[in-house]
Amino acid sequence: MCSTVALAADAADDEPRAAIVAVLDTAEGPVTVLATHLTLIPGWNVLQLRYALRHVRDLPQPLVVLGDLNLEGTWPAWATTPCWPPTSEPATFAAS
């Protein structure tokens, strides 16, 4: 299964954003993967991530979220906590 989720645009006319979702069959069972590139605008990126996660909450677990979230530090874990508790520290790369 593969689908695309259109993410909410922000008030500053940011570029259109989307998430690609796939459920992969593996030897260990199904895995849901969500890949996205969120806006740089603080606050909107958290809303976009939560919106995308609501669309996959009924899909098989585990869930892998990857992409350019444009979130620093613990924000990815904080933004996903109501949906799923983090199972590891998020791997992130801060561009400078």
Side-chain angles (χ1 to χ4, degrees):
M1 189 235 45
C2 187
S3 66
T4 303
V5 177
L7 302 178
D10 59 53
D13 295 326
D14 190 27
E15 298 174 0
R17 304 292 175 157
I20 298 171
V21 180
V23 177
L24 308 177
D25 291 323
T26 73
E28 301 296 321
V31 175
T32 300
V33 178
L34 183 149
T36 190
H37 183 184
L38 303 178
T39 183
L40 286 164
I41 300 170
W44 281 104
N45 45 17
V46 172
L47 292 174
Q48 289 174 336
L49 179 56
R50 288 185 170 207
Y51 182 82
L53 291 173
R54 279 194 303 273
H55 279 77
V56 299
R57 68 176 156 215
D58 294 330
L59 296 178
Q61 299 273 324
L63 169 67
V64 177
V65 177
L66 54 98
D68 187 348
L69 303 181
N70 286 312
L71 295 168
E72 295 183 23
T74 59
W75 277 103
W78 179 85
T80 59
T81 299
C83 301
W84 292 280
T87 57
S88 64
E89 286 296 314
T92 182
F93 173 80
S96 53

